[in-house]
Amino acid sequence: MEAPLYPDFPLDPSTPRGGQPAFWVGPRHLAGDDGRLYDAVADTFSGLGWTSLTIVRGRHEPDEAPEDRQVLRSTVLHISPDTLRWAQWSLADEPFHLGDLPIAWQISARAETSSPLASWSAYFTPDVPGEAVADFLVALDARDQPAIPLAGPELVLDAVAAHGWLRDIDQPHAAATDPTFTSHISLGEVPPLIQDADPRALTTEADEAGPSGWQAWAEPALGAPCLWAVSFGASVPHDLVAAFATALSSTAPVLRRVLPEATQERLLRAPAI
């Protein structure tokens, strides 16, 4: 049973004295993104030396004052120095949905610079813990060949099992869940529109199973809307998924000022003093 460490402190950290207080929060897979998913991931790119490009769209009405001009940051693209990997922040650009949630980050890689197409892509919705996305990116950046598999799928399940997650009874080699049965990771058929270089993604018939990739999601209550969802294309190397899974399932607390409404009652928290 999870409960506040300090029940006398406000549940909603958005109503503090003199500003938003910080809490150490766990478990992190239910802690949300603190409303900073773009900033947390962009800071990681900056630390890795990736280049950022921004396409800005706007509208200027006749006789409109400059300060009233409507400007929208439409697309932010981050590119690695070797141009083999890139990431797009697409939340402001009417992205497609995953588990009824809009895609916030799309991260892709290719095998060689001569190819204009991604070998694989991974998709992250809002409220995915930024720490898990950041660790995925650090592992991706450290690879000389980001599209070459180096390990098998067991690595992913071993990563979450090491932090107390439970293997699925019916699919022990393909799925696991956290001890509260709210967050899940599973190897199975990828959803439609997930980009991947695996040719089966384009040739699969309607009655055939498509290529398998890792999916992860948090469902705060049975039948409730997902808090977040992640989809990895079938060709995403398992060791990169394992880096994400390790950070996601970590028992180390994370710093938060804004707690997700759907899971705040499930979170352990202590004020960061």
Side-chain angles (χ1 to χ4, degrees):
M1 179 70 68
E2 293 175 295
L5 292 177
Y6 291 81
D8 293 334
F9 281 80
L11 254 180
D12 183 359
S14 64
T15 56
R17 296 191 301 268
Q20 292 178 313
F23 293 99
W24 289 109
V25 173
R28 69 171 59 182
H29 58 88
L30 297 180
D33 62 11
D34 207 27
R36 297 187 65 256
L37 186 58
Y38 175 79
D39 295 320
V41 176
D43 288 347
T44 301
F45 288 128
S46 178
L48 295 173
W50 290 32
T51 299
S52 63
L53 303 172
T54 304
I55 300 173
V56 177
R57 297 185 305 184
R59 185 174 64 189
H60 191 195
E61 301 292 343
D63 303 323
E64 184 180 36
E67 61 270 18
D68 295 330
R69 183 179 180 183
Q70 298 180 33
V71 175
L72 172 68
R73 184 183 65 187
S74 176
T75 300
V76 182
L77 188 66
H78 298 263
I79 306 173
S80 67
D82 62 7
T83 71
L84 289 178
R85 48 218 111 190
W86 62 93
Q88 179 178 330
W89 172 261
S90 57
L91 195 60
D93 210 24
E94 299 181 358
F96 70 87
H97 285 61
L98 180 66
D100 294 326
L101 297 171
I103 298 296
W105 281 105
Q106 176 180 341
I107 300 170
S108 306
R110 57 182 175 175
E112 51 190 25
T113 57
S114 59
S115 172
L117 302 177
S119 297
W120 57 258
S121 292
Y123 303 81
F124 305 83
T125 73
D127 272 324
V128 176
E131 296 84 357
V133 183
D135 279 15
F136 174 81
L137 289 168
V138 170
L140 171 61
D141 184 79
R143 265 174 154 265
D144 291 331
Q145 296 177 309
I148 305 299
L150 298 179
E154 195 69 16
L155 190 65
V156 178
L157 297 175
D158 287 345
V160 295
H163 291 151
W165 284 37
L166 309 173
R167 291 175 183 259
D168 187 275
I169 296 177
D170 298 322
Q171 304 178 77
H173 302 294
T177 184
D178 81 286
T180 66
F181 300 98
T182 53
S183 296
H184 312 265
I185 190 163
S186 176
L187 180 63
E189 186 175 358
V190 298
L193 303 180
I194 299 302
Q195 297 181 17
D196 196 85
D198 189 324
R200 293 176 297 162
L202 300 176
T203 60
T204 302
E205 300 292 338
D207 58 346
E208 294 179 340
S212 294
W214 287 100
Q215 318 300 313
W217 67 97
E219 186 179 22
L222 186 62
C226 289
L227 173 64
W228 55 261
V230 177
S231 182
F232 297 95
S235 298
V236 178
H238 297 296
D239 60 294
L240 297 183
V241 181
F244 169 84
T246 298
L248 177 72
S249 60
S250 172
T251 57
V254 290
L255 200 61
R256 293 289 187 268
R257 285 182 165 81
V258 180
L259 304 181
E261 182 178 350
T263 59
Q264 60 182 4
E265 295 287 354
R266 292 178 171 267
L267 294 170
L268 291 163
R269 59 194 181 280
I273 299 175

